């Protein structure tokens, strides 16, 4: 019915805590098609992990609660599925890799076994075949000595190797979607690059769709087919990479871009950061959630949530500045009047 | 590595399981199956065989009967080091005796007859033929060794002083002090069947009927430190052989065919003494019929078992002792003041104390025990002589009078000026309860607030008492078999009076010493008892102790048991029959 | 690994030796002597007894003699119960105490752990509250009350089990249950806590993300990790239980070792106290030693470097 592989519409997710209701996701929608990589970018606490985990229903139902919306996978509604029913999807249709590979792997079980147990659950193989496949996967993710690696415990592997193991584990059942929650944040830069290369290569080889969660725009620039910027539980801007990097329309995006350290600038320059902190999700403000930190905040921003404006078919932004009644605002430029993005060369907007 | 790990785990589990399984045989008790009787090589004699199946002998087969009761586990069955009369309960069963007491009367056993010299200092005993369970004959030397070993300073027997004081064997004290050799002591075997005892001076209370056991020196030397620890480390010459002793479990006795009076007494063939320290459990066992008798029933269970209960009043005397030898002169003056002591004594309602703390005991207002014989063997001393002493319910008015007199004599204007006195007693629940009750009565009736209770573990309390480091001490004394025993403890130099032998006596009264000394040598029973009664009156008035209660004991016997006789010293199963 | 074992073994031996030495001298500091009892003795009598038992010799000499005997495994004879050797007491009573302890452990630990797991899984529901309440009761209520209740209800009223003594397997049921109560309670609570801690761990999310069933997750991922910290205390727990429980043994009239611990120190029976302390000390030390080795085997993160 739906033409997209994954369609999330109007998703509202809250957590019921002792202190009250935390509205973590407040109306998120996006789509994902086969073979494409969607990057969800935002700072800590904006709700990106919750969104993605909710797709897999990994958040335990109390305290988390899906207040509304729908998640359609290949046209099937996932919202109301029970835990048991979801088990058929998890690992097989979509799988996930996490940020901290050290804590995300069972320390008392050999890594190979952790891979083969997923295989044994979802595919009809016996133990020997599963092991063989697991070893193959380890080789595919670029681990040397995959046989030896199979028998290792997580704590004997390096961070990069562990992350590769997680990828191997996630892909072992050939899922349609790979959800990657900050897969490289915990790694050093070199390894980061390697892992990203690996993911790109796998995507090209197998056609798996990827939802990549990160707060690192540099990572995004290499991988993403489309980008969504999240803030305080809502998507504030979305678009193709060019839209976001060269024609950003939301002050938050400007802030994100501007806060990227630029090697070409002088080193005694202070890093620009967005002043203030994200709003308290116990009681989200009635207007735009970014208003309190926005240098261009207007009266209307405080009172009414901005609607979503379409700049093009792919590029949307939710900001009152775009409304024709607002003043024309020129986005802040860097010191040398350019908005530079790493690795893409500089263009003046 | 995985294989090794698995192997180690398996080994660990296997060891644990194996341990449990092999440990499963720790059960003690099993069924009271009749053990076979020949545990020792049978003697060569023909007149003491008891066949199991009655095949072709002249003797009729003896019916196997078992008597099961709950008693106290002996501390040791080492006759030399044994202190407690719990042990002697068992010796009575396992050993032959020169004279065997039964129900208050001593009967000759191994002794055939005896003669006494004119001056009543030399006693000569002729022995019958008797043997140990392995066939060795019992000789006079063995009885002599029993006494001599307990007097030997090298053997460390704690009963030496007791023996010396009670009997005063010739040179016994010197021997024990290391001043002479064994041969000089007045305990000799003249030949295999003749035992001669010589006393330093005649003792009026000694009738010559010594209840002593035979003990073989070779056996003692052979066993060394292990003597009396397990059934194998004992000699058997008595009615029963200890077949099995499961520590804290039970003791099984089988009738000993070689016992000299085997066919005349102790008809029960098997005895099992169950050792159980929990009163609740004991009572349940009795109710279930698992045991036929309880030698000691706790106070809380008297109601439940009231159909089977018997009471024996004789027991230890408990009294309040005042330390007039206190280092603090102010306190010494108070504690040595007669009126003060009397005040405290008359203020106590002993009947109430008994009711509140221990119903199996009885109020005690005098020193001589209520079951001691009096002017005649069949009369009671306590009925023949009534001293002038505090009434059992106390007398508050008199107490206050005494207190006022005492305060005046001592120079205090009110009782609150008295220095704080410490009441020392054992850190044992019953003693604590008594202490609290006593202190409470003193507070309420005399207004005596300046008094505190000091509870110490038994060894520490005794040590404090022995070093005169106390104000008031709650003492417990055995009452003995004869009034003279408890009264002679309080003469100058007496065992309790001068407890460390250092010459410091709590009680110094010439007249008292005279009376007791004379009584010791007065053979005329009536005269002797009169002297003792007079002595008792003196110490009740002038002495440092105020008697409080006398302990009693309750025991329970099933109705199908005949011939049960209770004794606080021995298990007297001489004529006990179980008709189950 | 081998070197580690040898080294630990050596350390254990030294520990036991230290225990024996410290205890030996500490005992002598206590006021009084072993022969004080309600039988009052004059000082010269006490002196004679001290001489008989060799207690009048200089302390260091007694120590050397004692250590020499100890090396031969001879704990000596009790001072309070003449003729009863400490070895004999241990030999007679330890198997009983050990059996009771092991039964309680074998029943209590798995049961407690299982209840803890269920409790954690059913967190917040009635079963959890019920088990929690039971745990609190089990830990707080003294064992003699539980013993008396069991004796009364299961023994006297229903007549299912014998009330006291140690005569057959059915005699062991009530005391085992009594002892297990505390074990079950504490293990239930600790396992529950451990399980809940593990619940927060990320690898469980990963496991769920792989689509594994809850049972598999609980057994292979949760329990495996939760149970490791529980092993730490196992050594001392086992050693303690095997040494007998004074209260339980007294109530059920079980001829075990527990009472000797109490009475020997009350009566200042030097040899008995020392023997028991060294015995128990050795047990604890080696139990911990074994547990440490077990740890290495069970937790792959711990390896001897």
């Amino acid at each position: 019915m739906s033409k997209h592989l994954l369609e999330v519409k109007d998703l509202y997710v809250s957590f019921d805590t002792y202190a009250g209701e935390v509205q973590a996701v407040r109306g998120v929608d996006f789509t994902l098609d086969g073979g494409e990589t969607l990057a969800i970018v935002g700072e800590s606490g904006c709700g990106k992990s919750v969104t993605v985990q909710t797709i897999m229903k990994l958040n335990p139902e109390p305290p988390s609660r899906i207040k509304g919306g729908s998640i359609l996978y290949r046209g099937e509604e996932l919202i109301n599925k029970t835990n048991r029913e979801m088990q058929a999807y998890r690992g097989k249709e979509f799988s996930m890799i996490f940020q901290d590979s050290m804590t995300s792997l069972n320390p008392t079980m050999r890594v190979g076994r952790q891979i083969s147990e997923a295989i044994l659950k979802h595919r009809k193989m016996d133990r020997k075949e599963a092991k063989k496949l697991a070893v193959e996967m380890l080789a595919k993710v670029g681990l040397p000595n995959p046989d030896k690696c199979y028998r290792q415990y997580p704590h004997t592997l390096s961070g990069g190797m562990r992350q590769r193991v997680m990828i191997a584990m996630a892909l072992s059942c050939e899922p349609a979607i790979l959800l990657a929650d900050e897969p490289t944040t915990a790694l050093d830069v070199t390894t980061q690059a390697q892992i990203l290369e690996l993911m790109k290569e796998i995507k090209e080889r197998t056609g798996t769709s990827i939802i990549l969660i990160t707060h690192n725009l540099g990572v995004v620039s290499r991988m993403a087919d489309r980008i969504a910027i999240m803030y305080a539980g809502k998507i504030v801007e979305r678009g193709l990479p060019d839209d976001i990097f060269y024609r950003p329309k939301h002050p938050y995006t400007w802030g994100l871009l501007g806060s990227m350290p630029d090697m070409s600038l002088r080193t005694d320059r202070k890093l620009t950061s967005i002043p203030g902190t994200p709003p308290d999700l116990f009681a989200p403000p009635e207007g735009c959630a970014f208003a309190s930190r926005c240098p261009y905040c207007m009266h209307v921003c405080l009172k009414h949530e901005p609607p979503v404006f379409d700049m093009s078919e792919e590029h949307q932004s939710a900001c009152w500045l775009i409304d024709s009644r607002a003043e024309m605002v020129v986005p802040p430029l860097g010191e040398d009047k350019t908005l530079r993005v790493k690795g893409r060369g500089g263009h003046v907007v | 590595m995985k294989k090794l790990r698995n192997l180690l785990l398996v080994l660990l589990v296997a060891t644990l399981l194996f341990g449990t399984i092999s440990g499963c045989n720790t059960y003690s008790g099993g069924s009271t199956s009749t053990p076979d009787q020949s545990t020792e090589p049978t003697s060569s004699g023909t007149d003491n065989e008891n066949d199991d199946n009655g095949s072709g002998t002249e003797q009729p087969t003896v019916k196997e009967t078992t008597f099961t009761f709950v008693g106290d586990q002996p501390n040791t069955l080492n006759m030399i080091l044994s202190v407690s009369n719990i042990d002697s309960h068992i010796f009575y069963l396992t050993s032959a005796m020169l004279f065997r007491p039964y129900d208050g009367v001593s009967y000759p056993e191994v002794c055939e007859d005896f003669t006494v010299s004119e001056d009543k200092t030399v006693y000569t005993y002729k022995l019958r033929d008797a043997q140990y369970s392995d066939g060795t004959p019992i000789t006079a030397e063995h009885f002599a060794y029993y006494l001599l070993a307990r007097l030997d300073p090298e053997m460390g027997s704690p009963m030496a002083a007791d023996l010396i004081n009670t009997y005063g064997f010739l040179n016994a004290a010197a021997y024990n002090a290391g001043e002479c050799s064994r041969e000089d002591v007045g305990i000799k075997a003249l030949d295999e069947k003749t035992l001669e005892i010589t006393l330093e001076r005649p003792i009026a209370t000694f009738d010559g009927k010594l209840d002593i056991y035979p003990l073989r020196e070779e056996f003692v030397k052979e066993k060394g430190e292990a003597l009396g620890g397990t059934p194998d480390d004992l000699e058997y010459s008595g009615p029963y052989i200890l077949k099995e002793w499961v520590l804290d479990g039970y003791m099984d006795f089988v009738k000993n065919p070689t016992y000299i009076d085997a066919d005349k007494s102790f008809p029960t063939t098997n005895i099992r003494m169950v050792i159980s320290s929990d009163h609740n459990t004991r009572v349940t066992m009795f109710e279930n019929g698992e045991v036929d008798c309880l030698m000691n029933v706790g106070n809380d269970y008297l109601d439940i078992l009231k159909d089977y209960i018997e009471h024996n009043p004789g027991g230890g005397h408990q009294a309040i002792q005042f330390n007039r030898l206190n280092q603090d002169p102010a306190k010494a003056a108070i504690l040595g003041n007669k009126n003060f002591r009397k005040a405290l004594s008359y203020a106590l309602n002993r009947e109430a104390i008994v009711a509140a703390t221990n119903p199996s005991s009885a109020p005690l207002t005098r020193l001589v025990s209520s079951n001691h014989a009096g002017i005649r063997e069949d009369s009671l001393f306590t009925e023949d002589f009534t001293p002038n002493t505090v009434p059992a319910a106390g007398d508050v008015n008199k107490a206050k009078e005494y207190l006022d007199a005492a305060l005046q004599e001592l120079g205090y204007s009110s009782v609150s000026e008295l220095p704080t006195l410490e009441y020392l007693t054992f850190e044992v629940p019953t003693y604590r309860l008594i202490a609290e009750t006593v202190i409470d009565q003193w507070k309420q009736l005399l207004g005596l607030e300046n008094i505190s209770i000091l509870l110490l573990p038994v060894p520490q309390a005794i040590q404090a008492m022995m070093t005169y480091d106390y104000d008031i001490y709650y003492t417990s004394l055995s009452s003995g078999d004869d009034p003279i025993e408890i009264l002679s403890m309080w003469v100058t130099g007496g065992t309790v009076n001068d407890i460390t032998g250092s010459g410091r006596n709590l009680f110094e009264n010439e007249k008292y010493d005279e009376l007791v000394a004379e009584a010791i040598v007065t053979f005329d029973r009536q005269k002797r008892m009169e002297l003792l009664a007079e002595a008792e009156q003196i110490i009740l008035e002038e002495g440092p102790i105020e008697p409080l209660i006398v302990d009693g004991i309750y025991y329970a016997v099933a109705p199908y048991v005949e011939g049960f006789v209770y004794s606080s010293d021995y298990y007297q199963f001489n004529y006990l029959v179980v008709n189950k | 690994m081998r070197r580690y074992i040898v080294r630990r073994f050596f350390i254990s031996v030294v520990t036991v030796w230290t225990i024996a030495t410290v205890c030996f001298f500490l005992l002598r500091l206590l006021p009084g002597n072993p022969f004080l009892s309600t039988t009052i003795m004059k000082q010269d009598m006490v002196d004679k007894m001290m001489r008989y038992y060799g207690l009048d010799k200089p302390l260091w000499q007694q120590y050397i003699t004692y250590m020499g005997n100890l090396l031969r495994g001879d704990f000596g004879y009790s001072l309070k119960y003449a003729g009863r050797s400490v070895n004999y007491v241990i030999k007679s009573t330890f198997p009983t105490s050990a059996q009771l302890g092991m039964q309680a452990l074998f029943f209590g630990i798995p049961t407690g752990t299982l209840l803890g797991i269920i409790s954690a899984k059913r967190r917040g529901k009635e079963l959890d509250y019920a088990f929690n309440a039971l745990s609190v009761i089990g830990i707080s209520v003294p064992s003699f009350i539980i013993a008396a209740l069991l004796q009364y209800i299961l023994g006297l009223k229903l007549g299912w089990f014998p009330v006291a003594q140690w005569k057959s397997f059915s005699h062991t049921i009530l005391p085992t249950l009594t002892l297990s109560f505390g074990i079950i309670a504490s293990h239930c609570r600790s396992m529950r806590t451990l399980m809940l801690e593990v619940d927060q761990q990320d690898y469980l999310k990963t496991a769920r993300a792989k689509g594994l069933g809850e049972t598999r997750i609980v057994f292979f991922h949760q329990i495996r990790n939760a149970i490791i910290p529980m092993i730490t205390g196992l050594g001392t727990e086992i050693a303690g239980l095997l040494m007998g429980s004074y209260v339980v043994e007294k109530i059920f009239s079980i001829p075990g070792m527990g009472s000797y611990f109490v009475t020997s120190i009350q009566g200042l029976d030097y040899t008995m106290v020392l023997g028991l302390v060294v015995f128990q000390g050795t047990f604890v030390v080696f139990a911990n030693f074994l547990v440490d080795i077990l740890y290495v085997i069970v937790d792959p993160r711990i390896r001897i470097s």
Side-chain angles (χ1 to χ4, degrees), chain B residues 5 23 26 76 276 281 462 466, chain C residues 37 40-41 82 99 164 251 253 297:
Chain B
R5 186 237 332 238
T26 67
T76 177
S276 162
T281 314
I462 292 185
M466 287 175 75
Chain C
S37 62
I40 297 166
M41 281 181 278
Q99 184 185 343
I251 293 184
S253 287
I297 294 175

Side-chain angles (χ1 to χ4, degrees), chain B residues 110 152 221 232 294 304 421 487 520 555:
Chain B
V110 180
D152 188 338
K221 293 235 166 10
D232 294 328
L294 297 181
I304 298 174
L421 295 173
L487 291 171
I520 289 179
Y555 55 94

Side-chain angles (χ1 to χ4, degrees), chain B residues 15-78:
Chain B
T15 332
L16 286 174
L17 279 174
F18 173 78
T20 320
I21 292 170
S22 66
C24 268
N25 271 333
T26 67
Y27 301 128
S28 53
S31 55
T32 51
S33 55
T34 54
D36 75 335
Q37 304 201 4
S38 50
T39 49
E40 303 279 322
T42 51
S43 68
S44 49
T46 49
D47 54 341
N48 46 13
E49 297 280 348
N50 276 321
D51 282 2
D52 295 4
N53 298 315
S55 51
T57 58
E58 294 153 20
Q59 302 257 336
T61 52
V62 177
K63 190 171 85 123
E64 299 267 342
T65 55
T66 309
F67 176 63
T68 313
F69 70 102
V70 177
D72 294 314
Q73 179 165 249
N75 285 331
T76 177
L77 295 178
N78 178 327

Side-chain angles (χ1 to χ4, degrees), chain C residues 241-256:
Chain C
L241 270 165
L242 257 54
M243 288 298 142
S245 154
Y246 175 59
V247 172
V248 171
E249 287 172 5
K250 193 161 191 305
I251 293 184
F252 288 98
S253 287
I254 296 174

Side-chain angles (χ1 to χ4, degrees), chain A residues 11-47:
Chain A
L11 185 63
Y12 280 82
V13 181
S14 287
F15 286 90
D16 295 314
T17 69
Y18 287 114
E21 181 190 345
V22 179
Q23 299 178 31
V25 180
R26 306 183 300 133
V28 161
D29 17 32
F30 59 84
T31 61
L32 183 71
D33 291 320
E36 67 170 356
T37 303
L38 168 68
I40 303 183
V41 181
E43 60 192 274
S44 315
C46 69

Side-chain angles (χ1 to χ4, degrees), chain C residues 31-138:
Chain C
N33 62 65
F35 311 112
L36 285 176
S37 62
T38 44
T39 314
I40 297 166
M41 281 181 278
K42 287 218 194 319
Q43 190 53 44
D44 63 332
M45 206 77 262
V46 176
D47 291 339
K48 288 198 186 76
M49 292 191 73
M50 301 276 273
R51 204 164 68 226
Y52 174 69
Y53 285 107
L55 293 172
D56 59 335
K57 296 208 185 67
L59 208 54
W60 62 265
Q61 197 177 336
Q62 291 185 46
Y63 174 69
I64 307 269
T65 319
Y66 183 77
M67 280 298 156
N69 287 335
L70 198 59
L71 279 173
R72 275 195 294 274
D74 178 11
F75 285 122
Y77 283 85
S78 161
L79 298 177
K80 190 158 179 259
Y81 306 110
R84 225 179 276 186
S85 69
V86 179
N87 292 55
Y88 180 67
V89 169
I90 294 180
K91 197 163 64 110
S92 311
T93 56
F94 177 66
T96 309
S97 291
Q99 184 185 343
L100 180 59
M102 298 235 65
Q103 280 181 200
L105 282 172
F106 271 146
F107 177 66
I109 292 185
T111 312
T113 312
L114 194 65
L115 290 186
I117 294 170
I118 297 176
S119 205
K121 282 284 133 204
R122 298 268 176 276
R123 179 180 178 199
K125 305 220 183 69
E126 302 83 34
L127 215 52
D128 184 26
Y129 287 127
F131 287 157
N132 254 350
L134 246 112
S135 298
V136 170
I137 292 177

Side-chain angles (χ1 to χ4, degrees), chain A residues 21-290:
Chain A
E21 181 190 345
V22 179
Q23 299 178 31
V25 180
R26 306 183 300 133
V28 161
D29 17 32
F30 59 84
T31 61
L32 183 71
D33 291 320
E36 67 170 356
T37 303
L38 168 68
I40 303 183
V41 181
E43 60 192 274
S44 315
C46 69
K48 47 195 204 295
S49 293
V50 175
T51 310
V52 150
Q53 283 178 12
T54 307
I55 295 175
M56 291 185 67
K57 294 225 157 170
L58 282 181
N59 290 316
E61 286 295 272
S64 93
R65 185 166 41 107
I66 301 178
K67 280 171 75 173
S70 91
I71 302 175
L72 292 174
Y73 173 73
R74 292 192 204 270
E76 247 192 291
E77 176 64 71
L78 296 183
I79 294 272
N80 296 316
K81 289 214 182 290
T82 66
N83 208 16
R84 245 225 138 100
E85 289 167 343
M86 286 302 292
Q87 284 173 16
Y89 292 86
R90 296 186 196 137
K92 185 147 180 5
E93 301 297 331
F94 24 77
S95 58
M96 196 152 166
I97 58 181
F98 296 90
Q99 173 180 336
D100 187 347
S101 58
M102 184 64 224
T103 62
S104 297
L105 289 171
N106 186 342
T108 59
M109 196 189 272
R110 298 182 204 272
V111 300
R113 184 124 170 266
Q114 297 192 43
I115 300 178
S116 37
E117 71 176 345
I119 298 174
L120 284 168
K121 169 84 186 187
H122 294 294
R123 301 172 75 155
K124 297 218 178 328
M125 290 186 183
D126 66 20
R127 218 165 267 181
K128 270 177 82 178
E129 289 171 343
K131 178 169 175 187
K132 197 154 145 298
L133 178 57
V135 171
E136 271 176 38
M137 292 304 307
L138 288 171
K140 276 198 202 155
V141 295
L143 284 166
N145 287 327
D147 279 300
K148 185 155 169 274
C149 198
Y150 184 90
R151 296 175 47 75
Q152 297 279 63
Y153 284 100
H155 63 278
T156 57
L157 302 171
S158 74
M161 291 167 80
R162 279 199 300 269
Q163 200 59 292
R164 289 177 200 264
V165 166
M166 294 235 26
I167 296 176
M169 203 161 70
L171 296 175
S172 58
C173 297
E174 293 171 1
I177 306 179
L178 175 67
L179 304 161
D181 193 343
E182 311 223 32
T184 57
T185 314
L187 302 170
D188 64 84
V189 191
T190 329
T191 324
Q192 229 180 62
Q194 289 173 347
I195 297 292
L196 288 174
E197 271 309 311
L198 174 62
M199 285 173 71
K200 250 178 116 173
E201 184 213 335
I202 286 175
K203 184 187 98 168
E204 273 149 28
R205 206 168 1 110
T206 63
T208 316
S209 313
I210 303 180
I211 299 184
L212 177 63
I213 294 179
T214 178
H215 57 258
N216 186 334
L217 283 168
V219 165
V220 167
S221 69
R222 300 168 67 115
M223 297 275 304
D225 295 322
R226 285 185 299 124
I227 304 176
I229 312 270
M230 253 182 101
Y231 183 78
K234 287 166 114 52
I235 295 185
V236 295
E237 186 162 9
R238 72 174 86 232
L240 301 171
D242 277 356
D243 296 331
I244 300 294
F245 285 110
Y246 298 115
R247 298 178 283 277
K249 286 284 181 264
H250 195 284
Y252 180 60
T253 318
W254 298 335
L256 281 181
L257 290 168
S259 59
M260 279 165 52
D262 191 337
M263 265 179 33
S264 64
L265 296 176
R266 286 167 48 193
T267 49
D268 62 347
R269 181 104 304 135
K270 278 209 274 251
L271 280 180
T272 42
S273 57
I274 309 172
T277 52
D280 180 2
L281 290 175
F282 279 104
E286 43 175 354
C288 173
F290 190 60

